[in-house]
Amino acid sequence: MENRTGLLRIVSLFLAFGIAVMADIPGVVPLPKAQAEAEYFPTQQDFIGKWKLTGATSRPPRDMKTEPTAQQEADATLFQETVTTFYSAFDYLEITADGRYNFHQAGDPSSASCVWCGTWSFDKSSLWLQLDTAPRLDIYAKEGDMQMTYTAEPDETSRYKWLVFGWTKIE
């Protein structure tokens, strides 16, 4: 009888321990939509289509070691307005599955004509336009808007890395 009581105590101890451990393991809970969208990794197919410029801003480059001066921020904002005017002159940006992109001129009826175009590559969930400024295109949510940032600075200017443009798919 004593052996049974001892065995029962040991089993009860393990059972209590198991219940305590299980209580600490979270159940499978659905992710909030915002968190799920933040963890989305697009494929290159997600970038294929026509995109319309829908927004622009400037922000200090991520690799900037010091706080930006008021003059740097003013220069970046002015430059962002200039580049936004440039992009606004195009009807849309078309990204094709064959590795090409084309900024279409307003009213251009032909998708074959090349106004300002080139090739792109896909790496690390981003689409990269082949330009001196190395524009990087990212999509953070399935069927979401696309964000364009610049990772290079031609001619030693520091303003390109401040630019951020938002694009919305139109087709």
Side-chain angles (χ1 to χ4, degrees), residues 68-85:
T69 65
Q71 186 62 49
Q72 286 174 313
E73 288 183 342
D75 290 347
T77 299
L78 181 62
F79 187 63
Q80 176 264 321
E81 291 170 1
T82 301
V83 177
T84 301
T85 300

Side-chain angles (χ1 to χ4, degrees), residues 8-98:
L8 186 58
R9 284 183 183 161
I10 291 172
V11 169
S12 296
L13 179 64
F14 280 116
L15 184 60
F17 179 75
I19 290 171
V21 168
M22 292 298 285
D24 281 345
I25 297 175
V28 176
V29 180
L31 287 173
K33 184 177 180 189
Q35 184 179 356
E37 289 177 347
E39 295 175 2
Y40 177 69
F41 295 105
T43 65
Q44 67 185 52
Q45 188 61 36
D46 293 319
F47 294 92
I48 307 303
K50 295 178 181 177
W51 300 84
K52 183 81 174 161
L53 180 69
T54 55
T57 190
S58 64
R59 69 171 179 228
R62 292 185 175 120
D63 59 355
M64 191 170 194
K65 305 278 189 251
T66 60
E67 286 293 315
T69 65
Q71 186 62 49
Q72 286 174 313
E73 288 183 342
D75 290 347
T77 299
L78 181 62
F79 187 63
Q80 176 264 321
E81 291 170 1
T82 301
V83 177
T84 301
T85 300
F86 173 75
Y87 281 137
S88 297
F90 299 105
D91 272 348
Y92 56 89
L93 163 62
E94 182 177 21
I95 299 171
T96 60
D98 65 358

